[in-house]
Amino acid sequence: MAVSISVVLLLVILAAVFLRNGALKLSHAVVCLLLGFYLASTSMAPTIQDGLTATADIVSGIRP
């Protein structure tokens, strides 16, 4: 568990740096993809899923 958390933290930092630069290259996209896979295997996955579902419900309920 400690190894996966440190890898997730490293990938979060790398993704933030890449996004701040404004140039998302193929290598940057791979880092973001790996971040997603590592986040999915952590204990935060259900919380993230619930948050995304709630956001999708709110957005789908908005009528222009």
PDB file of all heavy atoms in Angstrom, residues 21-52:
ATOM      1  N   ASN A  21       2.599  23.339 -17.784  1.00  0.00           N
ATOM      2  CA  ASN A  21       3.398  23.707 -18.958  1.00  0.00           C
ATOM      3  C   ASN A  21       2.525  23.979 -20.171  1.00  0.00           C
ATOM      4  O   ASN A  21       2.933  24.707 -21.064  1.00  0.00           O
ATOM      5  CB  ASN A  21       4.403  22.606 -19.301  1.00  0.00           C
ATOM      6  CG  ASN A  21       5.557  22.565 -18.324  1.00  0.00           C
ATOM      7  OD1 ASN A  21       5.806  23.519 -17.608  1.00  0.00           O
ATOM      8  ND2 ASN A  21       6.237  21.442 -18.279  1.00  0.00           N
ATOM      9  N   GLY A  22       1.370  23.379 -20.229  1.00  0.00           N
ATOM     10  CA  GLY A  22       0.448  23.621 -21.332  1.00  0.00           C
ATOM     11  C   GLY A  22       0.721  22.799 -22.575  1.00  0.00           C
ATOM     12  O   GLY A  22       0.036  22.939 -23.579  1.00  0.00           O
ATOM     13  N   ALA A  23       1.700  21.961 -22.534  1.00  0.00           N
ATOM     14  CA  ALA A  23       2.021  21.125 -23.693  1.00  0.00           C
ATOM     15  C   ALA A  23       1.918  19.663 -23.281  1.00  0.00           C
ATOM     16  O   ALA A  23       2.817  19.131 -22.650  1.00  0.00           O
ATOM     17  CB  ALA A  23       3.419  21.429 -24.199  1.00  0.00           C
ATOM     18  N   LEU A  24       0.828  19.050 -23.630  1.00  0.00           N
ATOM     19  CA  LEU A  24       0.618  17.651 -23.256  1.00  0.00           C
ATOM     20  C   LEU A  24       1.112  16.776 -24.400  1.00  0.00           C
ATOM     21  O   LEU A  24       0.465  16.653 -25.436  1.00  0.00           O
ATOM     22  CB  LEU A  24      -0.858  17.393 -22.966  1.00  0.00           C
ATOM     23  CG  LEU A  24      -1.179  16.040 -22.355  1.00  0.00           C
ATOM     24  CD1 LEU A  24      -0.552  15.931 -20.974  1.00  0.00           C
ATOM     25  CD2 LEU A  24      -2.672  15.846 -22.243  1.00  0.00           C
ATOM     26  N   LYS A  25       2.269  16.188 -24.207  1.00  0.00           N
ATOM     27  CA  LYS A  25       2.870  15.325 -25.217  1.00  0.00           C
ATOM     28  C   LYS A  25       2.441  13.882 -24.962  1.00  0.00           C
ATOM     29  O   LYS A  25       1.736  13.597 -24.001  1.00  0.00           O
ATOM     30  CB  LYS A  25       4.385  15.441 -25.158  1.00  0.00           C
ATOM     31  CG  LYS A  25       4.879  16.840 -25.458  1.00  0.00           C
ATOM     32  CD  LYS A  25       6.378  16.908 -25.342  1.00  0.00           C
ATOM     33  CE  LYS A  25       6.836  18.336 -25.573  1.00  0.00           C
ATOM     34  NZ  LYS A  25       8.257  18.508 -25.312  1.00  0.00           N
ATOM     35  N   LEU A  26       2.889  12.987 -25.824  1.00  0.00           N
ATOM     36  CA  LEU A  26       2.537  11.579 -25.682  1.00  0.00           C
ATOM     37  C   LEU A  26       3.034  11.031 -24.348  1.00  0.00           C
ATOM     38  O   LEU A  26       2.321  10.298 -23.662  1.00  0.00           O
ATOM     39  CB  LEU A  26       3.112  10.761 -26.841  1.00  0.00           C
ATOM     40  CG  LEU A  26       2.808   9.272 -26.829  1.00  0.00           C
ATOM     41  CD1 LEU A  26       1.304   9.043 -26.897  1.00  0.00           C
ATOM     42  CD2 LEU A  26       3.512   8.583 -27.968  1.00  0.00           C
ATOM     43  N   SER A  27       4.240  11.385 -23.955  1.00  0.00           N
ATOM     44  CA  SER A  27       4.770  10.902 -22.676  1.00  0.00           C
ATOM     45  C   SER A  27       3.940  11.427 -21.503  1.00  0.00           C
ATOM     46  O   SER A  27       3.714  10.718 -20.525  1.00  0.00           O
ATOM     47  CB  SER A  27       6.232  11.313 -22.514  1.00  0.00           C
ATOM     48  OG  SER A  27       6.357  12.720 -22.519  1.00  0.00           O
ATOM     49  N   HIS A  28       3.463  12.647 -21.625  1.00  0.00           N
ATOM     50  CA  HIS A  28       2.623  13.217 -20.575  1.00  0.00           C
ATOM     51  C   HIS A  28       1.288  12.480 -20.490  1.00  0.00           C
ATOM     52  O   HIS A  28       0.762  12.241 -19.405  1.00  0.00           O
ATOM     53  CB  HIS A  28       2.383  14.695 -20.828  1.00  0.00           C
ATOM     54  CG  HIS A  28       3.645  15.487 -20.969  1.00  0.00           C
ATOM     55  ND1 HIS A  28       3.689  16.675 -21.636  1.00  0.00           N
ATOM     56  CD2 HIS A  28       4.907  15.254 -20.543  1.00  0.00           C
ATOM     57  CE1 HIS A  28       4.915  17.147 -21.606  1.00  0.00           C
ATOM     58  NE2 HIS A  28       5.678  16.290 -20.951  1.00  0.00           N
ATOM     59  N   ALA A  29       0.741  12.155 -21.633  1.00  0.00           N
ATOM     60  CA  ALA A  29      -0.523  11.428 -21.659  1.00  0.00           C
ATOM     61  C   ALA A  29      -0.367  10.044 -21.021  1.00  0.00           C
ATOM     62  O   ALA A  29      -1.263   9.566 -20.326  1.00  0.00           O
ATOM     63  CB  ALA A  29      -1.028  11.300 -23.089  1.00  0.00           C
ATOM     64  N   VAL A  30       0.779   9.411 -21.242  1.00  0.00           N
ATOM     65  CA  VAL A  30       1.032   8.102 -20.636  1.00  0.00           C
ATOM     66  C   VAL A  30       1.101   8.229 -19.114  1.00  0.00           C
ATOM     67  O   VAL A  30       0.559   7.389 -18.388  1.00  0.00           O
ATOM     68  CB  VAL A  30       2.329   7.473 -21.201  1.00  0.00           C
ATOM     69  CG1 VAL A  30       2.745   6.249 -20.413  1.00  0.00           C
ATOM     70  CG2 VAL A  30       2.148   7.136 -22.669  1.00  0.00           C
ATOM     71  N   VAL A  31       1.734   9.288 -18.615  1.00  0.00           N
ATOM     72  CA  VAL A  31       1.803   9.510 -17.170  1.00  0.00           C
ATOM     73  C   VAL A  31       0.407   9.705 -16.598  1.00  0.00           C
ATOM     74  O   VAL A  31       0.056   9.145 -15.560  1.00  0.00           O
ATOM     75  CB  VAL A  31       2.713  10.711 -16.834  1.00  0.00           C
ATOM     76  CG1 VAL A  31       2.570  11.115 -15.386  1.00  0.00           C
ATOM     77  CG2 VAL A  31       4.153  10.372 -17.152  1.00  0.00           C
ATOM     78  N   CYS A  32      -0.426  10.489 -17.287  1.00  0.00           N
ATOM     79  CA  CYS A  32      -1.800  10.707 -16.822  1.00  0.00           C
ATOM     80  C   CYS A  32      -2.598   9.409 -16.857  1.00  0.00           C
ATOM     81  O   CYS A  32      -3.417   9.146 -15.965  1.00  0.00           O
ATOM     82  CB  CYS A  32      -2.472  11.784 -17.668  1.00  0.00           C
ATOM     83  SG  CYS A  32      -1.787  13.423 -17.396  1.00  0.00           S
ATOM     84  N   LEU A  33      -2.372   8.594 -17.868  1.00  0.00           N
ATOM     85  CA  LEU A  33      -3.045   7.303 -17.960  1.00  0.00           C
ATOM     86  C   LEU A  33      -2.632   6.395 -16.809  1.00  0.00           C
ATOM     87  O   LEU A  33      -3.478   5.759 -16.172  1.00  0.00           O
ATOM     88  CB  LEU A  33      -2.717   6.644 -19.301  1.00  0.00           C
ATOM     89  CG  LEU A  33      -3.374   5.312 -19.588  1.00  0.00           C
ATOM     90  CD1 LEU A  33      -4.856   5.528 -19.878  1.00  0.00           C
ATOM     91  CD2 LEU A  33      -2.702   4.648 -20.768  1.00  0.00           C
ATOM     92  N   LEU A  34      -1.335   6.347 -16.520  1.00  0.00           N
ATOM     93  CA  LEU A  34      -0.858   5.544 -15.395  1.00  0.00           C
ATOM     94  C   LEU A  34      -1.417   6.054 -14.074  1.00  0.00           C
ATOM     95  O   LEU A  34      -1.748   5.264 -13.188  1.00  0.00           O
ATOM     96  CB  LEU A  34       0.674   5.557 -15.350  1.00  0.00           C
ATOM     97  CG  LEU A  34       1.378   4.747 -16.427  1.00  0.00           C
ATOM     98  CD1 LEU A  34       2.880   4.991 -16.360  1.00  0.00           C
ATOM     99  CD2 LEU A  34       1.065   3.280 -16.278  1.00  0.00           C
ATOM    100  N   LEU A  35      -1.528   7.372 -13.949  1.00  0.00           N
ATOM    101  CA  LEU A  35      -2.120   7.949 -12.745  1.00  0.00           C
ATOM    102  C   LEU A  35      -3.542   7.441 -12.558  1.00  0.00           C
ATOM    103  O   LEU A  35      -3.941   7.062 -11.450  1.00  0.00           O
ATOM    104  CB  LEU A  35      -2.110   9.470 -12.821  1.00  0.00           C
ATOM    105  CG  LEU A  35      -2.858  10.212 -11.717  1.00  0.00           C
ATOM    106  CD1 LEU A  35      -2.237   9.916 -10.366  1.00  0.00           C
ATOM    107  CD2 LEU A  35      -2.865  11.692 -11.989  1.00  0.00           C
ATOM    108  N   GLY A  36      -4.309   7.403 -13.623  1.00  0.00           N
ATOM    109  CA  GLY A  36      -5.676   6.897 -13.540  1.00  0.00           C
ATOM    110  C   GLY A  36      -5.742   5.446 -13.103  1.00  0.00           C
ATOM    111  O   GLY A  36      -6.567   5.064 -12.268  1.00  0.00           O
ATOM    112  N   PHE A  37      -4.848   4.622 -13.660  1.00  0.00           N
ATOM    113  CA  PHE A  37      -4.834   3.213 -13.276  1.00  0.00           C
ATOM    114  C   PHE A  37      -4.429   3.033 -11.818  1.00  0.00           C
ATOM    115  O   PHE A  37      -5.005   2.215 -11.109  1.00  0.00           O
ATOM    116  CB  PHE A  37      -3.893   2.406 -14.176  1.00  0.00           C
ATOM    117  CG  PHE A  37      -4.503   2.058 -15.499  1.00  0.00           C
ATOM    118  CD1 PHE A  37      -3.982   2.576 -16.667  1.00  0.00           C
ATOM    119  CD2 PHE A  37      -5.595   1.218 -15.579  1.00  0.00           C
ATOM    120  CE1 PHE A  37      -4.536   2.267 -17.881  1.00  0.00           C
ATOM    121  CE2 PHE A  37      -6.167   0.897 -16.785  1.00  0.00           C
ATOM    122  CZ  PHE A  37      -5.631   1.414 -17.949  1.00  0.00           C
ATOM    123  N   TYR A  38      -3.444   3.792 -11.354  1.00  0.00           N
ATOM    124  CA  TYR A  38      -3.032   3.675  -9.965  1.00  0.00           C
ATOM    125  C   TYR A  38      -4.104   4.204  -9.020  1.00  0.00           C
ATOM    126  O   TYR A  38      -4.335   3.645  -7.952  1.00  0.00           O
ATOM    127  CB  TYR A  38      -1.709   4.385  -9.716  1.00  0.00           C
ATOM    128  CG  TYR A  38      -0.513   3.533 -10.087  1.00  0.00           C
ATOM    129  CD1 TYR A  38       0.246   3.834 -11.191  1.00  0.00           C
ATOM    130  CD2 TYR A  38      -0.174   2.420  -9.334  1.00  0.00           C
ATOM    131  CE1 TYR A  38       1.327   3.050 -11.545  1.00  0.00           C
ATOM    132  CE2 TYR A  38       0.899   1.629  -9.680  1.00  0.00           C
ATOM    133  CZ  TYR A  38       1.650   1.946 -10.776  1.00  0.00           C
ATOM    134  OH  TYR A  38       2.716   1.172 -11.129  1.00  0.00           O
ATOM    135  N   LEU A  39      -4.780   5.284  -9.393  1.00  0.00           N
ATOM    136  CA  LEU A  39      -5.864   5.794  -8.548  1.00  0.00           C
ATOM    137  C   LEU A  39      -7.006   4.795  -8.458  1.00  0.00           C
ATOM    138  O   LEU A  39      -7.663   4.679  -7.430  1.00  0.00           O
ATOM    139  CB  LEU A  39      -6.377   7.125  -9.082  1.00  0.00           C
ATOM    140  CG  LEU A  39      -5.590   8.360  -8.693  1.00  0.00           C
ATOM    141  CD1 LEU A  39      -6.186   9.589  -9.370  1.00  0.00           C
ATOM    142  CD2 LEU A  39      -5.570   8.547  -7.200  1.00  0.00           C
ATOM    143  N   ALA A  40      -7.256   4.080  -9.543  1.00  0.00           N
ATOM    144  CA  ALA A  40      -8.341   3.097  -9.543  1.00  0.00           C
ATOM    145  C   ALA A  40      -8.061   1.939  -8.590  1.00  0.00           C
ATOM    146  O   ALA A  40      -8.992   1.289  -8.120  1.00  0.00           O
ATOM    147  CB  ALA A  40      -8.561   2.567 -10.946  1.00  0.00           C
ATOM    148  N   SER A  41      -6.788   1.699  -8.293  1.00  0.00           N
ATOM    149  CA  SER A  41      -6.462   0.579  -7.409  1.00  0.00           C
ATOM    150  C   SER A  41      -6.282   1.008  -5.956  1.00  0.00           C
ATOM    151  O   SER A  41      -5.971   0.180  -5.114  1.00  0.00           O
ATOM    152  CB  SER A  41      -5.185  -0.114  -7.897  1.00  0.00           C
ATOM    153  OG  SER A  41      -4.079   0.743  -7.773  1.00  0.00           O
ATOM    154  N   THR A  42      -6.486   2.285  -5.651  1.00  0.00           N
ATOM    155  CA  THR A  42      -6.339   2.745  -4.274  1.00  0.00           C
ATOM    156  C   THR A  42      -7.691   2.753  -3.571  1.00  0.00           C
ATOM    157  O   THR A  42      -8.732   2.515  -4.180  1.00  0.00           O
ATOM    158  CB  THR A  42      -5.751   4.170  -4.227  1.00  0.00           C
ATOM    159  OG1 THR A  42      -6.657   5.065  -4.843  1.00  0.00           O
ATOM    160  CG2 THR A  42      -4.396   4.235  -4.899  1.00  0.00           C
ATOM    161  N   SER A  43      -7.658   3.085  -2.298  1.00  0.00           N
ATOM    162  CA  SER A  43      -8.895   3.152  -1.528  1.00  0.00           C
ATOM    163  C   SER A  43      -9.697   4.410  -1.856  1.00  0.00           C
ATOM    164  O   SER A  43     -10.842   4.543  -1.422  1.00  0.00           O
ATOM    165  CB  SER A  43      -8.586   3.111  -0.035  1.00  0.00           C
ATOM    166  OG  SER A  43      -7.777   4.219   0.321  1.00  0.00           O
ATOM    167  N   MET A  44      -9.124   5.328  -2.614  1.00  0.00           N
ATOM    168  CA  MET A  44      -9.833   6.555  -3.000  1.00  0.00           C
ATOM    169  C   MET A  44     -10.769   6.328  -4.185  1.00  0.00           C
ATOM    170  O   MET A  44     -11.580   7.186  -4.499  1.00  0.00           O
ATOM    171  CB  MET A  44      -8.832   7.655  -3.378  1.00  0.00           C
ATOM    172  CG  MET A  44      -7.959   8.109  -2.249  1.00  0.00           C
ATOM    173  SD  MET A  44      -6.886   9.487  -2.662  1.00  0.00           S
ATOM    174  CE  MET A  44      -6.128   8.970  -4.174  1.00  0.00           C
ATOM    175  N   ALA A  45     -10.670   5.191  -4.849  1.00  0.00           N
ATOM    176  CA  ALA A  45     -11.452   4.932  -6.052  1.00  0.00           C
ATOM    177  C   ALA A  45     -12.965   5.067  -5.839  1.00  0.00           C
ATOM    178  O   ALA A  45     -13.636   5.718  -6.651  1.00  0.00           O
ATOM    179  CB  ALA A  45     -11.105   3.562  -6.623  1.00  0.00           C
ATOM    180  N   PRO A  46     -13.557   4.488  -4.780  1.00  0.00           N
ATOM    181  CA  PRO A  46     -14.999   4.645  -4.598  1.00  0.00           C
ATOM    182  C   PRO A  46     -15.417   6.103  -4.379  1.00  0.00           C
ATOM    183  O   PRO A  46     -16.456   6.540  -4.873  1.00  0.00           O
ATOM    184  CB  PRO A  46     -15.313   3.806  -3.366  1.00  0.00           C
ATOM    185  CG  PRO A  46     -14.199   2.840  -3.243  1.00  0.00           C
ATOM    186  CD  PRO A  46     -13.005   3.536  -3.804  1.00  0.00           C
ATOM    187  N   THR A  47     -14.599   6.861  -3.666  1.00  0.00           N
ATOM    188  CA  THR A  47     -14.906   8.271  -3.426  1.00  0.00           C
ATOM    189  C   THR A  47     -14.863   9.058  -4.722  1.00  0.00           C
ATOM    190  O   THR A  47     -15.734   9.892  -4.982  1.00  0.00           O
ATOM    191  CB  THR A  47     -13.899   8.855  -2.418  1.00  0.00           C
ATOM    192  OG1 THR A  47     -13.906   8.060  -1.249  1.00  0.00           O
ATOM    193  CG2 THR A  47     -14.244  10.287  -2.071  1.00  0.00           C
ATOM    194  N   ILE A  48     -13.858   8.796  -5.540  1.00  0.00           N
ATOM    195  CA  ILE A  48     -13.748   9.473  -6.832  1.00  0.00           C
ATOM    196  C   ILE A  48     -14.935   9.103  -7.714  1.00  0.00           C
ATOM    197  O   ILE A  48     -15.526   9.966  -8.370  1.00  0.00           O
ATOM    198  CB  ILE A  48     -12.414   9.118  -7.512  1.00  0.00           C
ATOM    199  CG1 ILE A  48     -11.243   9.689  -6.701  1.00  0.00           C
ATOM    200  CG2 ILE A  48     -12.373   9.633  -8.946  1.00  0.00           C
ATOM    201  CD1 ILE A  48      -9.886   9.191  -7.144  1.00  0.00           C
ATOM    202  N   GLN A  49     -15.298   7.828  -7.729  1.00  0.00           N
ATOM    203  CA  GLN A  49     -16.431   7.372  -8.534  1.00  0.00           C
ATOM    204  C   GLN A  49     -17.727   8.035  -8.081  1.00  0.00           C
ATOM    205  O   GLN A  49     -18.531   8.483  -8.906  1.00  0.00           O
ATOM    206  CB  GLN A  49     -16.561   5.852  -8.458  1.00  0.00           C
ATOM    207  CG  GLN A  49     -17.724   5.290  -9.234  1.00  0.00           C
ATOM    208  CD  GLN A  49     -17.574   5.478 -10.725  1.00  0.00           C
ATOM    209  OE1 GLN A  49     -16.485   5.426 -11.260  1.00  0.00           O
ATOM    210  NE2 GLN A  49     -18.679   5.710 -11.404  1.00  0.00           N
ATOM    211  N   ASP A  50     -17.940   8.124  -6.777  1.00  0.00           N
ATOM    212  CA  ASP A  50     -19.146   8.766  -6.257  1.00  0.00           C
ATOM    213  C   ASP A  50     -19.189  10.245  -6.622  1.00  0.00           C
ATOM    214  O   ASP A  50     -20.236  10.777  -6.980  1.00  0.00           O
ATOM    215  CB  ASP A  50     -19.234   8.601  -4.734  1.00  0.00           C
ATOM    216  CG  ASP A  50     -19.480   7.164  -4.314  1.00  0.00           C
ATOM    217  OD1 ASP A  50     -19.912   6.358  -5.169  1.00  0.00           O
ATOM    218  OD2 ASP A  50     -19.234   6.858  -3.128  1.00  0.00           O
ATOM    219  N   GLY A  51     -18.034  10.908  -6.541  1.00  0.00           N
ATOM    220  CA  GLY A  51     -17.966  12.318  -6.900  1.00  0.00           C
ATOM    221  C   GLY A  51     -18.252  12.554  -8.372  1.00  0.00           C
ATOM    222  O   GLY A  51     -18.973  13.488  -8.739  1.00  0.00           O
ATOM    223  N   LEU A  52     -17.711  11.696  -9.229  1.00  0.00           N
ATOM    224  CA  LEU A  52     -17.964  11.825 -10.666  1.00  0.00           C
ATOM    225  C   LEU A  52     -19.425  11.538 -11.010  1.00  0.00           C
ATOM    226  O   LEU A  52     -20.016  12.206 -11.862  1.00  0.00           O
ATOM    227  CB  LEU A  52     -17.044  10.895 -11.452  1.00  0.00           C
ATOM    228  CG  LEU A  52     -15.572  11.280 -11.472  1.00  0.00           C
ATOM    229  CD1 LEU A  52     -14.749  10.195 -12.147  1.00  0.00           C
ATOM    230  CD2 LEU A  52     -15.384  12.610 -12.171  1.00  0.00           C
TER     231      LEU A  52
END
